[in-house]
Amino acid sequence: MDLTALRTAHPDHWNKAAAIRTLTLDAVAAANSGHSGMPMGMADVATVLYEKHLKFDAAAPNWPDRDRFILSAGHGSMLLYSLLYLTGYPEMTIEQIKNFRQWGAITAGHPEYGHAPGIETTTGPLGQGIATAVGFAMAEEIQRARYGRKVVDHHTYVMAGDGCLMEGISQEAIAFAGRQQLGKLIVFWDNNNITIDGTVELSDRTDQLARFRASGWHVQAIDGHDPEAIDAAIEKAKASRKPSMIACKTHIALGSSAQDTSKGHGALTDPKLIADTKAAYGWTAPAFEIPADIKAEWEAIGKRGAIERANWDIRFASLSERKQSEFTRAYDREVPKKLTSVIRALKKDMSETAPKLATRASSEKVLEVVNPLMTETVGGSADLTGSNNTKTPDLDAFMPENRKGRYVYWGIREHGMSAAMNGMALHGGVRPYGGTFMAFTDYARPAMRLAALMRIPTVFVMTHDSIGLGEDGPTHQPVEHLAISRATPNTYVFRPADTVETAEAWEVALTSKETPSVLSLTRQGVPTVRLEHKMNNLTAQGAYVLAEAEGKREAILIATGSEVSIAMAARELLQAEGIGTRVVSMPCMELFAEQDEAYRRKVLPAGPVRVGVEAAVRAGGWDRWLLGERGREGKADFVGMASFGASAPADVLYEKFGITAKAVAEKVKALLA
């Protein structure tokens, strides 16, 4: 690679790009950790994008109509941090760059959403960025259809590497984006042919250009170090009505002795290598210093969008007050004031009529009153619409010909769906929810984890939540998935017992601003257990006393979901024998843990024996409530699953696996003996 020719052909561009490369070398060397090669290879693309195309204002990083830039290859985080520092984002100081990957710095090893403005999403798990970007592009389309092009008209740009495109989630994202003709989505493929183990040919021979074309994308191939070619390609991509992929042929670790090798992927820290590379760049400034003229040019780029943002403010002010209010409320993740009264009315009706319903059907009833009120909700299902009950009559399908549609047919793409929902939540202005079977949280898990890590309120509707789904058998019967979900920090896992609790769970999920929710819902019908209407949202307390003991309290049954009715039946058996039994419904362990100790001890006082009832394994938090928070509050046992399920009708399975009222009562009596 003739660096001298590149430097002399476009000196102004070269110096700006070299600033990214040298900051990367300095930060990685100081940390003795990181990934130097990708920022060094893609600096030319990033420079052209930010200088000539990206619509943003460094002084107003949360401007709703900004273009979004997503670094899917998150290991190259110094590319993004360099750009934020150079363009003048106030929080991204040179001290933060110097403390790359250190305790307390906002410059984490991989970009972390919430650490600094300008980081649109957390990336690092490869493939997540490109899939999340699909949700960003969808949210832009939905809002543009709702509010008009004069206030919503922006692009989503993605930088993805070979690793992103190898991950299976990338195919889910690419195929879906092509079907939906997301023309505002533009992906730069860092085509450097290098992975950690060596060249891409060690494990892959995919023709990526043909792959994208086959999925309905506009595709170009360019020299990723030629600024004129990069500029022209972006112009063509923006003009296309299809999503675009620009294959950028680049050299990883450009200009260093590690160029085009797997060594170049990681941390380049050798002082001689760094000195020689900077010399090849014609860079003479000391470490972490950017010459004033180059920094000024970059800061001018960061200010370029200020005029457009000011004009946008004027256009936004021209909207009706109602539309302005709706737009702002949705971006602030505030719910309509009527939501509580609507939920209360449904609860009252359900308590009075006491239907026997599967909680997946209960969820649909809730959505039928919520979706017309919360017009920012966007629902969907991974090819299980009729089973997940996520579509309501007022929701039309989101399609290229109907961008006002608020229901998404995701196809069999649980992982892609979940990541794209995260993207919608991150974009702002929409509240996504989507469904699949609880057993397939396995397929959605990486995106669910990132939702929790990023503190965004994505709602995952997981139906068919136990052996109660019956004949489909153990492949579809989740037994460990509740425990896995509960083990994830910053996640609310709801397992409602009836329609009343389901309505309350939805209210909490929709009012949450920083915590994703998992709704674990039954396939089989369950009776209404909340027969007395309560104005307060008891599910928001996590657990509460559903039925009090008659006489001396000797036992407490703690149950969730479909097993609450089993616990209530067991209570009748025990009370008939003079054993005073309290039933505690625990729809959300995480919310119960958030209550003050006085309330928790009121619901679960020391003394009585405790039996937990849930058609799942005991792991995932049960022992805290069974054994007591100090681990010594009395005798306890559990009625649930200790194995996988089987194929049979639900009632047969509950009998065969011993999850019955009689079995619960026998456990209590054994503990009291």
Side-chain angles (χ1 to χ4, degrees):
M1 191 73 185
D2 188 351
L3 297 192
T4 302
L6 290 175
R7 287 165 51 189
T8 55
H10 304 281
D12 290 340
H13 164 85
W14 175 265
N15 287 332
K16 286 193 285 287
I20 296 172
R21 294 178 170 119
T22 56
L23 281 174
T24 295
L25 286 167
D26 293 339
V28 171
N32 197 31
S33 171
H35 299 80
S36 310
M38 183 271 181
M40 294 165 69
M42 286 295 281
D44 293 304
V45 176
T47 299
V48 174
L49 174 64
Y50 270 69
E51 181 176 14
K52 298 183 180 296
H53 297 277
L54 196 74
K55 183 173 69 173
F56 75 108
D57 180 0
N62 295 320
W63 170 29
D65 200 36
R66 69 192 182 278
D67 287 342
R68 272 65 168 181
F69 172 66
I70 294 170
L71 187 66
S72 189
H75 56 275
S77 57
M78 269 309 303
L79 175 76
L80 179 55
Y81 301 151
S82 298
L83 289 163
L84 297 179
Y85 165 67
L86 291 167
T87 54
Y89 283 73
E91 292 82 358
M92 192 59 68
T93 64
I94 195 63
E95 290 304 315
Q96 292 290 348
I97 300 292
K98 289 179 178 178
N99 283 284
F100 176 56
R101 289 184 162 225
Q102 303 309 300
W103 176 264
I106 62 177
T107 46
H110 295 83
E112 300 283 350
Y113 173 75
H115 280 209
I119 301 174
E120 301 287 0
T121 182
T122 295
T123 54
L126 294 177
Q128 287 290 328
I130 189 172
T132 303
V134 170
F136 277 88
M138 292 173 68
E140 192 273 345
E141 295 278 3
I142 291 167
Q143 288 206 302
R144 178 154 38 87
R146 182 174 178 81
Y147 295 102
R149 189 177 295 274
K150 67 180 182 179
V151 293
V152 181
D153 188 15
H154 53 265
H155 287 82
T156 300
Y157 295 96
V158 183
M159 280 192 182
D162 293 303
C164 291
L165 300 189
M166 286 187 195
E167 290 286 357
I169 190 175
S170 72
Q171 183 57 33
E172 297 184 22
I174 293 163
F176 185 81
R179 169 64 187 93
Q180 288 293 342
Q181 298 175 31
L182 299 176
K184 294 293 191 109
L185 176 62
I186 298 174
V187 173
F188 301 99
W189 169 34
D190 180 15
N191 179 18
N192 60 40
N193 198 43
I194 294 294
T195 66
I196 293 174
D197 280 350
T199 62
V200 168
E201 285 79 8
L202 285 172
S203 56
D204 197 5
R205 59 177 299 174
T206 303
D207 183 337
Q208 296 292 354
L209 278 68
R211 176 191 178 200
F212 275 81
R213 286 194 188 99
S215 295
W217 286 58
H218 176 260
V219 176
Q220 302 173 76
I222 62 169
D223 178 349
H225 299 298
D226 181 345
E228 292 180 353
I230 297 165
D231 183 27
I234 296 173
E235 288 288 359
K236 290 178 183 177
K238 290 196 295 185
S240 175
R241 299 182 66 179
K242 298 178 179 181
S244 291
M245 189 272 265
I246 304 173
C248 306
K249 188 59 183 174
T250 62
H251 295 273
I252 198 168
L254 180 74
S256 75
S257 58
Q259 178 180 309
D260 300 329
T261 70
S262 58
K263 177 184 176 182
H265 171 87
L268 302 180
T269 59
D270 178 71
K272 185 177 186 305
L273 179 149
I274 294 172
D276 290 347
T277 304
K278 288 184 177 181
Y281 293 164
W283 193 267
T284 58
F288 294 109
E289 284 192 22
I290 305 299
D293 58 334
I294 299 174
K295 184 66 164 74
E297 289 177 6
W298 268 114
E299 289 181 354
I301 293 170
K303 295 173 182 175
R304 174 173 48 80
I307 294 174
E308 173 58 26
R309 181 186 58 78
N311 290 335
W312 181 88
D313 289 340
I314 295 171
R315 296 196 300 273
F316 182 74
S318 71
L319 294 178
S320 68
E321 289 187 10
R322 180 182 63 82
K323 280 200 170 184
Q324 288 185 56
S325 177
E326 286 180 358
F327 187 95
T328 302
R329 178 185 61 76
Y331 262 91
D332 290 343
R333 294 177 181 164
E334 298 288 349
V335 298
K337 293 179 180 178
K338 292 183 179 179
L339 179 65
T340 298
S341 61
V342 165
I343 294 293
R344 283 176 176 170
L346 178 63
K347 286 167 53 179
K348 187 173 188 295
D349 181 45
M350 292 299 100
S351 292
E352 291 173 350
T353 57
K356 181 177 182 179
L357 287 174
T359 53
R360 61 175 176 150
S362 301
S363 175
E364 183 178 10
K365 280 188 172 294
V366 180
L367 290 171
E368 284 174 352
V369 299
V370 166
N371 281 336
L373 179 65
M374 290 187 67
T375 53
E376 67 270 28
T377 57
V378 176
S381 169
D383 201 53
L384 292 168
T385 294
S387 296
N388 297 148
N389 298 75
T390 43
K391 189 178 187 302
T392 56
D394 57 307
L395 299 188
D396 294 327
F398 174 82
M399 287 289 180
E401 59 273 14
N402 182 21
R403 295 310 198 191
K404 291 185 178 180
R406 293 166 51 204
Y407 191 80
V408 184
Y409 291 101
W410 292 102
I412 304 90
R413 300 185 180 100
E414 297 87 358
H415 197 180
M417 172 185 73
S418 300
M421 287 198 299
N422 286 346
M424 283 190 265
L426 289 161
H427 177 280
V430 296
R431 292 295 298 250
Y433 68 86
T436 184
F437 289 166
M438 187 75 184
F440 302 147
T441 56
D442 288 337
Y443 288 176
R445 168 73 182 152
M448 295 173 73
R449 181 177 185 270
L450 281 185
L453 180 61
M454 292 188 286
R455 306 190 68 82
I456 54 174
T458 314
V459 181
F460 303 97
V461 181
M462 301 300 185
T463 69
H464 296 57
D465 74 339
S466 73
I467 59 170
L469 70 86
E471 292 86 346
D472 274 347
T475 59
H476 285 53
Q477 293 167 1
V479 295
E480 75 274 33
H481 300 75
L482 280 167
I484 293 169
S485 297
R486 288 170 179 154
T488 306
N490 188 45
T491 301
Y492 292 148
V493 182
F494 295 98
R495 192 159 189 259
D498 61 7
T499 308
V500 176
E501 284 192 358
T502 304
E504 292 179 336
W506 266 111
E507 184 179 17
V508 176
L510 292 170
T511 54
S512 171
K513 291 187 176 183
E514 295 187 340
T515 301
S517 297
V518 178
L519 271 65
S520 175
L521 306 172
T522 69
R523 179 197 185 212
Q524 75 275 26
V526 293
T528 299
V529 296
R530 283 275 292 279
L531 299 175
E532 181 182 354
H533 175 59
K534 298 287 186 181
M535 295 281 283
N536 292 341
N537 187 323
L538 302 186
T539 297
Q541 298 172 313
Y544 61 93
V545 178
L546 177 63
E548 187 52 279
E550 298 174 11
K552 180 184 177 184
R553 186 192 307 122
E554 296 184 72
I556 298 176
L557 306 180
I558 311 169
T560 77
S562 47
E563 286 69 70
V564 173
S565 58
I566 292 175
M568 291 291 283
R571 175 184 176 274
E572 290 186 21
L573 296 176
L574 292 166
Q575 288 288 168
E577 296 186 36
I579 301 172
T581 303
R582 167 185 282 188
V583 174
V584 170
S585 179
M586 188 175 281
C588 183
M589 291 184 179
E590 298 78 25
L591 284 170
F592 188 55
E594 290 179 8
Q595 307 306 305
D596 60 53
E597 184 178 6
Y599 177 76
R600 297 198 306 269
R601 293 189 69 79
K602 181 180 179 181
V603 173
L604 296 177
V609 301
R610 300 179 185 180
V611 174
V613 193
E614 185 173 71
V617 297
R618 180 169 173 168
W622 268 108
D623 281 358
R624 177 178 180 182
W625 312 120
L626 292 176
L627 303 178
E629 297 190 60
R630 294 170 178 80
R632 56 175 189 275
E633 294 188 18
K635 297 179 179 179
D637 211 332
F638 181 76
V639 173
M641 297 294 293
S643 68
F644 292 109
S647 295
D651 56 347
V652 173
L653 292 169
Y654 272 84
E655 181 69 33
K656 294 295 185 182
F657 285 104
I659 307 174
T660 64
K662 180 180 179 182
V664 174
E666 291 300 321
K667 288 282 189 183
V668 169
K669 289 190 283 186
L671 291 171
L672 291 172

